[in-house]
């Protein structure tokens, strides 16, 4: 049986973090836990990543300047092989999206996070990790953005969401989600602070009241759209406890990989 392929690309970048650094260490920490042998490569959807998928780890992109990230990603993208990106802070999702648009055209985004990340600017920086989805929506090539798990929407963020037509699902309303309906190929972005700090202590911004691991995986399994890729961002190993959050990132990596293969 010919294995399907999935590229893994690390983005060790935290220059746009606003509270504390550390997420640049995340890609290598996730790889360490993925291959340490404490768990196997099976997904909950029954896909064996060791047998059915060839994980092409393309290593880390050596980032010197933020505005070069998109072209660096584009150089290694393959239209026939979806990519899983390991951040890094959430600012990397904007250059990822620019590179993906050059390869795939228009697409939709499903975004899990405690924060909407749609500030027009944060502390004067329009490319802060608090701003990527504002920059993305300004481009016009993302046709639908659904952001799930929010729990600190300010008046400015609500205005931005309305301006860009973003569908915001507050954490208090997640039980109202019945299914996800996307018309275009889909990209999934997961900020690990979408989860409650009890499940993900290794993030820079603790926002109590978030997802349990099971809740988030349950929602991922509901996605039926074809996927062009995904990212997992904002793991801060300096804040982690006994590798709990890194193990969570690996769990999500496996489930996302299975989803990409299952959905085509």
């Amino acid at each position: 049986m010919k294995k399907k392929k999935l590229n893994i690309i690390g983005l060790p970048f935290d220059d746009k973090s606003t509270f504390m650094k550390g997420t640049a260490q995340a890609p290598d920490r996730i790889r360490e836990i993925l291959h340490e042998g404490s768990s196997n490569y099976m997904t909950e959807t029954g896909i064996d990543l060791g047998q059915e998928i060839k994980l092409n780890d393309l290593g880390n992109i050596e980032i010197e300047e933020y505005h070069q990230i998109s072209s660096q990603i584009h150089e290694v993208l393959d239209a026939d092989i979806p990519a899983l990106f390991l951040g890094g802070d959430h600012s990397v999702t904007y250059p990822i999206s620019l590179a993906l648009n050059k390869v795939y055209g228009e697409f939709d985004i499903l975004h899990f996070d405690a924060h909407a990340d749609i500030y027009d600017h944060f502390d004067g920086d329009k490319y802060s990790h608090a701003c990527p989805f504002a920059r993305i929506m300004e481009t016009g090539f993302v046709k639908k953005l659904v952001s799930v798990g929010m729990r600190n929407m300010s008046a400015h963020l609500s205005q931005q969401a309305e301006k860009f037509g973003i569908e915001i699902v507050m954490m208090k309303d997640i039980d109202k989600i019945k299914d996800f309906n996307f018309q275009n190929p889909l990209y999934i972005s997961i900020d690990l602070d979408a989860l409650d700090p009890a499940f993900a202590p290794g993030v820079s911004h603790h926002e109590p009241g978030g997802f349990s691991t099971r809740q988030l995986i349950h929602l991922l399994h509901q996605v039926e759209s074809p996927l062009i890729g995904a990212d997992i961002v904002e793991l801060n190993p300096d804040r982690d406890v006994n590798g709990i959050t890194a193990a969570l990132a690996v769990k999500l990596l496996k489930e996302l990989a299975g989803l990409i293969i299952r959905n085509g």
Side-chain angles (χ1 to χ4, degrees):
M1 180 180 67
K2 185 176 181 180
K3 292 184 178 181
K4 298 179 180 179
K5 295 179 180 179
L6 178 66
N7 288 335
I8 295 177
I9 300 171
L11 299 168
F13 182 82
D14 59 12
D15 287 3
K16 298 296 184 179
S17 297
T18 57
F19 179 57
M20 61 174 60
K21 306 296 184 184
T23 58
Q25 306 170 53
D28 288 342
R29 180 59 174 150
I30 294 171
R31 291 183 179 98
E32 178 185 353
I33 299 297
L34 175 63
H35 300 301
E36 72 173 0
S38 66
S39 182
N40 61 26
Y41 295 101
M42 288 295 301
T43 74
E44 292 192 9
T45 52
I47 295 173
D48 187 338
L49 301 185
Q51 297 297 321
E52 299 175 55
I53 299 177
K54 178 175 175 56
L55 294 176
N56 292 326
D57 192 338
L58 304 184
N60 294 334
I61 290 178
E62 298 301 322
I63 300 168
E64 295 184 2
E65 205 279 320
Y66 180 75
H67 294 288
Q68 296 175 351
I69 298 175
S70 178
S71 59
Q72 290 177 283
I73 293 172
H74 185 253
E75 288 177 2
V76 297
L77 279 181
D78 186 323
D80 296 322
I81 305 176
L84 252 173
F85 298 92
L86 307 178
D89 68 43
H90 218 158
S91 71
V92 300
T93 300
Y94 173 55
I96 289 171
S97 73
L98 295 177
L100 290 172
N101 174 246
K102 291 180 180 179
V103 174
Y104 297 104
E106 295 178 348
F107 57 94
D108 297 333
I109 295 179
L110 176 59
H111 165 216
F112 294 97
D113 204 324
H115 316 96
D117 292 351
I118 48 174
Y119 281 97
D120 181 59
H121 64 84
F122 198 89
D123 290 340
D125 186 358
K126 294 179 76 70
Y127 301 98
S128 162
H129 71 161
C131 307
F133 293 100
R135 303 290 80 80
I136 288 170
M137 296 309 288
E138 285 172 348
T139 67
F141 58 69
V142 169
K143 311 316 292 182
K144 182 176 182 178
L145 169 59
V146 179
S147 294
V148 185
M150 315 297 94
R151 41 196 193 273
N152 68 351
M153 291 289 290
S154 66
H156 170 69
L157 295 175
S158 296
Q159 291 166 1
Q160 288 283 90
E162 183 176 359
K163 171 184 174 181
F164 294 120
I166 300 168
E167 183 179 336
I168 299 289
V169 182
M170 298 295 290
M171 188 65 203
K172 65 183 180 62
D173 297 323
I174 62 162
D175 289 341
K176 298 177 182 178
I177 297 176
K178 301 303 180 184
D179 53 39
F180 294 112
N181 182 22
F182 296 99
Q183 301 302 315
N184 297 296
L186 184 64
Y187 183 81
I188 296 178
S189 181
I190 300 179
D191 184 325
L192 291 172
D193 68 28
L195 291 105
D196 192 273
F199 298 90
V203 297
S204 298
H205 298 265
H206 290 160
E207 289 285 351
F211 288 104
S212 69
T213 304
R214 177 49 49 200
Q215 285 175 312
L216 181 52
I217 292 173
H218 175 69
L219 288 177
L220 288 176
H221 288 168
Q222 291 184 38
V223 174
E224 297 180 350
S225 302
L227 289 158
I228 59 173
D231 66 48
I232 300 169
V233 299
E234 296 288 352
L235 167 66
N236 189 337
D238 289 340
R239 263 200 144 179
D240 207 0
V241 178
N242 297 325
I244 289 173
T245 317
L248 166 64
V250 168
K251 176 69 171 178
L252 294 174
L253 182 158
K254 291 192 289 187
E255 295 307 314
L256 285 168
L259 201 62
I260 289 170
I261 299 304
R262 185 194 75 182
N263 293 11

